[in-house]
């Protein structure tokens, strides 16, 4: 078995920014009434104020891009945000079991689709590499199963498995509010009453990103993420053409939530307009939008809650094995605490969801799944989205 891993994603389409009129007459509203001492003037805030004074109010999407990925002052560029000492913690950092079960999922899909002699594993938006490290450990432990398969990075086009864990929630979103005049995009401007404070405003007229809102949308506030749509379209096309699958694990909803844009600092909620550059900014993934952007090229499964997916994958069995092997009380306690964090509905169990993209023939039954005694192919269950049978 040869194992090489590719991290990253193809180039995103550059989306045109709306032209801002020289006289801004949109409605405005504040993000809160924070006292001045709680709103320090950070280098990022100074940068944003200069930018807005130069070009006018900016979209929430542009605000997120600047705050998170600006090469000089961006939050993701210069801060270690993961772990207990950071601003948030992810499932792979909590328990090794999480990554191990995802490794089992990829092997299960590889076996169910004919045991290709080669595939590439592509992780979108890797963090410290903890997750893919746990997956590769499973691949190594099951080397006898994968002994005739090369898991490689060299195939630019080819049979691939894609993993996106907490990737889509970091992509910038456009926010819209329904008004008597129609949909109006939410922008960010300088508060005229306080020169070093930002505020939300509504655009006075339609903006290009409105095209991403469904015509039959019933919510009065929506968030759209064009970049996510571009990525899903690309993944769907690749999977439909060359096979493989994509597994998405993220917090989100199925087209039901409205305002989910928020910040995190020190594991606590943080006002998104206060001290930009010192906190993570995020928004829930709209899985109904991801499903639409697949455009029928591939089949989709989910979203289903994390606790259901992991239970179907056999997390209870794996936990028992690790507990039986450990004699250290501290290790056993850590395993149990990690399990509770991943599975408890009040913690990560119901906040996170799993979603998959698969070739249509995977659910309809492929040639390798045909039984000589059957006249029709049968649909094969997908691990995680149905209970995994342990034999």
């Amino acid at each position: 078995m040869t194992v090489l891993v590719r991290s990253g994603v193809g180039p995103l389409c550059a989306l045109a920014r709306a032209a801002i009129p020289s006289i801004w007459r949109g409605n405005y509203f504040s993000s809160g009434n924070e006292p001045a001492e709680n709103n320090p003037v950070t280098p990022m805030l100074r940068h944003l104020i200069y930018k807005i004074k130069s070009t006018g109010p900016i979209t929430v999407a542009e605000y997120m891009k600047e705050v998170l990925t600006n090469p000089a002052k961006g939050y993701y560029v210069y801060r270690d945000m993961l772990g207990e000492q950071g601003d948030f913690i992810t499932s792979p950092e909590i328990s090794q079991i999480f990554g191990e079960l995802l490794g089992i999922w990829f092997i299960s899909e590889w076996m169910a689709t004919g045991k290709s002699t080669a595939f590439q594993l592509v992780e979108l938006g890797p963090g410290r590499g903890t997750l893919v490290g746990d997956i590769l450990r499973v691949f190594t432990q099951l080397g006898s199963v994968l002994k005739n398969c090369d898991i490689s990075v060299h195939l630019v086009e080819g049979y691939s498995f894609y993993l996106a864990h907490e990737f889509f929630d970091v992509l910038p979103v456009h926010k819209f509010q329904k008004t008597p005049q129609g949909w109006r995009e939410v922008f960010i401007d300088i508060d005229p009453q306080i020169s070093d404070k930002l505020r939300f405003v509504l655009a006075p007229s339609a903006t290009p990103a409105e095209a991403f809102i469904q015509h039959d949308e019933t919510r009065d506030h929506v968030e759209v993420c064009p970049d996510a749509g571009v990525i899903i379209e690309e993944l769907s096309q690749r999977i439909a053409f060359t096979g493989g699958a994509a597994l998405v694990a993220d917090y989100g909803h199925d087209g039901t939530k409205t305002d989910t844009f928020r910040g995190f600092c020190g594991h606590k909620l943080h006002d998104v307009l206060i001290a930009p550059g010192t906190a993570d900014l995020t928004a829930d993934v709209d899985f109904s939008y991801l499903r639409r952007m697949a455009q029928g090229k591939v089949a989709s499964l989910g979203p289903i809650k994390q606790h259901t997916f992991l239970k179907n994958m056999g997390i209870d069995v794996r936990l028992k094995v690790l507990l039986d092997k450990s004699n250290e009380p501290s290790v056993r306690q850590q395993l149990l605490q990690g399990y509770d964090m991943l599975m408890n509905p009040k913690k990560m169990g119901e906040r996170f969801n799993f979603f998959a993209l698969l070739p249509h023939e995977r659910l309809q039954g492929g040639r390798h799944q045909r039984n000589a005694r059957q006249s029709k192919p049968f649909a094969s269950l997908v691990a995680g989205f149905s209970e995994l049978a342990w034999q």
Side-chain angles (χ1 to χ4, degrees):
M1 175 181 66
T2 303
V3 178
L4 293 173
V5 183
R6 179 181 182 184
S7 297
V9 69
L12 300 176
C13 290
L15 301 173
R17 177 178 180 271
I20 304 301
S22 57
I23 300 177
W24 188 268
R25 292 193 172 94
N27 295 326
Y28 68 89
F29 48 98
S30 174
S31 64
N33 296 314
E34 292 286 338
E37 60 270 19
N38 293 339
N39 187 18
V41 179
T42 62
M44 175 56 68
L45 178 58
R46 285 194 292 268
H47 166 72
L48 291 167
I49 289 174
Y50 177 80
K51 180 180 181 69
I52 293 171
K53 285 181 178 180
S54 301
T55 63
I58 59 176
T59 66
V60 171
E62 188 170 357
Y63 178 77
M64 291 181 70
K65 287 180 182 178
E66 286 292 326
V67 171
L68 298 178
T69 62
N70 181 286
K73 306 176 180 67
Y75 172 81
Y76 288 153
V77 178
Y78 289 105
R79 290 180 68 93
D80 185 9
M81 73 292 293
L82 293 173
E84 293 183 3
Q85 303 303 317
D87 295 320
F88 59 89
I89 192 168
T90 62
S91 295
E93 308 290 336
I94 292 172
S95 174
Q96 70 181 70
I97 302 178
F98 184 84
E100 291 173 346
L101 294 181
L102 298 197
I104 295 295
W105 190 88
F106 287 117
I107 293 176
S108 174
E109 280 306 295
W110 171 74
M111 296 176 68
T113 52
K115 297 183 180 180
S116 172
T117 56
F119 70 82
Q120 62 177 357
L121 176 64
V122 183
E123 183 183 13
L124 283 66
R128 293 173 174 167
T130 302
L131 177 56
V132 76
D134 291 337
I135 292 174
L136 292 180
R137 185 172 63 253
V138 171
F139 288 177
T140 301
Q141 292 171 346
L142 298 179
S144 60
V145 178
L146 297 165
K147 61 182 179 181
N148 295 320
C149 177
D150 286 337
I151 306 170
S152 175
V153 59
H154 298 303
L155 300 175
V156 177
E157 295 287 347
Y159 186 84
S160 305
F161 288 121
Y162 303 93
L163 172 62
H165 175 256
E166 292 195 51
F167 171 74
F168 286 97
D169 66 89
V170 304
L171 297 179
V173 298
H174 293 262
K175 294 176 67 66
F176 286 87
Q177 180 74 42
K178 186 178 289 185
T179 73
Q181 293 75 40
W183 289 105
R184 292 294 180 263
E185 186 166 3
V186 177
F187 279 68
I188 292 172
D189 194 8
I190 302 168
D191 190 330
Q193 306 299 322
I194 307 175
S195 61
D196 56 2
K197 184 179 180 182
L198 301 175
R199 64 171 183 172
F200 290 116
V201 297
L202 288 180
S205 58
T207 53
E210 184 182 333
F212 293 93
I213 302 177
Q214 288 289 96
H215 295 300
D216 58 352
E217 180 59 64
T218 59
R219 291 171 289 175
D220 59 6
H221 189 111
V222 295
E223 297 163 338
V224 296
C225 183
D227 287 356
V230 171
I231 294 170
I232 288 295
E233 284 185 330
E234 175 69 18
L235 294 181
S236 299
Q237 184 173 335
R238 286 173 176 247
I239 293 169
F241 184 70
T242 62
L247 185 64
V248 177
D250 225 316
Y251 47 80
H253 58 92
D254 204 14
T256 56
K257 291 186 179 181
T258 55
D259 183 9
T260 71
F261 181 43
R262 58 200 183 279
F264 284 99
C265 182
H267 301 274
K268 296 179 180 179
L269 285 172
H270 179 87
D271 190 313
V272 294
L273 298 185
I274 299 299
T278 65
D280 184 34
L281 301 179
T282 185
D284 280 9
V285 178
D286 185 345
F287 289 104
S288 69
Y289 174 68
L290 301 190
R291 189 185 303 112
R292 281 200 310 275
M293 297 311 294
Q295 298 180 337
K297 295 185 180 74
V298 294
S300 64
L301 291 176
I304 66 169
K305 299 300 182 184
Q306 176 169 291
H307 67 80
T308 302
F309 180 89
L310 296 181
K311 190 171 186 64
N312 288 342
M313 287 301 302
I315 189 172
D316 294 327
V317 176
R318 181 55 178 160
L319 175 65
K320 184 177 185 304
V321 170
L322 292 175
L323 289 174
D324 290 344
K325 287 183 176 180
S326 176
N327 295 320
E328 291 290 334
S330 60
V331 173
R332 292 172 63 88
Q333 182 181 15
Q334 185 178 19
L335 288 169
L336 291 171
Q337 289 177 342
Y339 175 90
D340 179 65
M341 180 65 74
L342 294 177
M343 297 293 286
N344 192 323
K346 296 182 179 180
K347 297 179 181 178
M348 290 183 167
E350 289 195 353
R351 294 179 184 175
F352 284 80
N353 296 269
F354 278 79
F355 177 84
L357 299 175
L358 304 159
H360 285 294
E361 57 268 24
R362 169 66 180 91
L363 301 185
Q364 297 166 355
R367 285 179 296 176
H368 65 278
Q369 295 170 325
R370 293 177 185 261
N371 187 301
R373 299 179 182 177
Q374 294 177 318
S375 59
K376 296 181 179 179
F378 63 89
S380 177
L381 298 178
V382 177
F385 297 90
S386 55
E387 190 171 356
L388 190 65
W390 293 88
Q391 298 179 350

